[in-house]
Amino acid sequence: MAFALAKFAAVLTAPLGLGCLALLLAVLAARRPWACRTLLLGALLLIGGLGTSEVAQRLTAPLEGAFPLPGPAVEADAAVVLSGTVDLLLSTPERVEFGDRPERILEGARLVKAGRARWLVISGGSGDPRRPEAVEAELLAGVARDLGVDPAVILVQGRSRTTQEDALYTAPLLKERGLTRFFLVTSGFHQPRAVECFRRQGLDPIPYPVDLRVEPERTAWSFVPTVGALQLSTLALHEHLGRWVYRGLGYL
């Protein structure tokens, strides 16, 4: 129940959720013109401002810039891939539908096939309260096998639902097998929080950021609101807020 409530709270506190709440309050305050106009302006600034690439890029850049991509000569015992990429409502073991960020498993598999990592460790249970029985790591393991990764070198940790649990439940798996040197493969915007969680478990991951979103140049279009930019702002704000919450809970 607590996990489902946390997911619901995350939706409500996202820019779109807050913007819709401001619009609803504006309707309720229709008899008070000053309050109504203030709420409408707030909704416009919130959704419109965070919906521009300029703002989204500025929010994301500090997260993605925290760790550089390791050079091609760097090798490790394992590549640890964090899930959060599969649409669990639409996926089956026979057919996996990605909701977003397929680069995580694609790059993890590539590292193993290229010989830069001996083991592929996939972490993640169900991050969707509507499908609590699903195990995303098992679905991604099937994808890795289809990509040509030897099943004998794939390890699955399917209990975790959050980033903190990824680290908590994956740490024993790594320590039992002596896999002390490992790539941590996850999205660039997610790396800072993920790295801190794994370090909290006494591990020293090699950050391997993928799914990069920060663009090298700004143009006039950077100030035009788009759905994609609003989504990126939402992801970045979720990570900034998530790190603050995790520190308060003692996870970092």
Side-chain angles (χ1 to χ4, degrees), residues 127-193:
D128 191 333
R130 298 168 297 178
R131 287 289 308 279
E133 78 287 354
V135 180
E136 185 174 345
E138 292 182 354
L139 295 173
L140 292 176
V143 173
R145 290 192 294 269
D146 290 342
L147 292 171
V149 177
D150 183 354
V153 302
I154 300 176
L155 300 176
V156 170
Q157 183 283 106
R159 296 174 60 192
S160 57
R161 300 171 299 172
T162 65
T163 304
Q164 186 268 339
E165 290 182 353
D166 280 331
L168 180 65
Y169 297 140
T170 304
L173 187 66
L174 296 171
K175 292 176 180 178
E176 287 171 6
R177 290 165 173 76
L179 306 177
T180 57
R181 182 174 171 82
F182 62 95
F183 294 116
L184 183 57
V185 185
T186 188
S187 301
F189 63 82
H190 186 228
Q191 277 288 350
R193 184 157 60 105

Side-chain angles (χ1 to χ4, degrees), residues 41-217:
L41 179 60
L44 178 62
L45 291 176
L46 183 67
I47 297 176
L50 292 174
T52 64
S53 179
E54 177 66 21
V55 173
Q57 298 283 313
R58 288 183 180 275
L59 288 171
T60 308
L63 299 169
E64 283 196 0
F67 302 104
L69 187 69
V74 178
E75 298 182 352
D77 300 323
V80 176
V81 174
L82 303 189
S83 59
T85 70
V86 172
D87 188 325
L88 295 177
L89 288 178
L90 299 178
S91 295
T92 66
E94 295 75 29
R95 183 180 177 85
V96 174
E97 296 287 346
F98 285 95
D100 201 1
R101 310 157 202 161
E103 295 90 344
R104 296 186 186 184
I105 188 62
L106 294 176
E107 193 63 18
R110 192 189 70 81
L111 286 169
V112 173
K113 292 181 65 179
R116 294 183 60 187
R118 292 186 294 111
W119 292 87
L120 178 63
V121 182
I122 307 174
S123 173
S126 174
D128 191 333
R130 298 168 297 178
R131 287 289 308 279
E133 78 287 354
V135 180
E136 185 174 345
E138 292 182 354
L139 295 173
L140 292 176
V143 173
R145 290 192 294 269
D146 290 342
L147 292 171
V149 177
D150 183 354
V153 302
I154 300 176
L155 300 176
V156 170
Q157 183 283 106
R159 296 174 60 192
S160 57
R161 300 171 299 172
T162 65
T163 304
Q164 186 268 339
E165 290 182 353
D166 280 331
L168 180 65
Y169 297 140
T170 304
L173 187 66
L174 296 171
K175 292 176 180 178
E176 287 171 6
R177 290 165 173 76
L179 306 177
T180 57
R181 182 174 171 82
F182 62 95
F183 294 116
L184 183 57
V185 185
T186 188
S187 301
F189 63 82
H190 186 228
Q191 277 288 350
R193 184 157 60 105
V195 167
E196 290 185 58
C197 284
F198 275 80
R199 286 176 176 170
R200 183 74 171 178
Q201 299 302 317
L203 300 171
D204 188 22
I206 302 171
Y208 199 100
V210 298
D211 178 35
L212 301 180
R213 311 288 182 104
V214 176
E215 300 169 356
E217 298 180 358

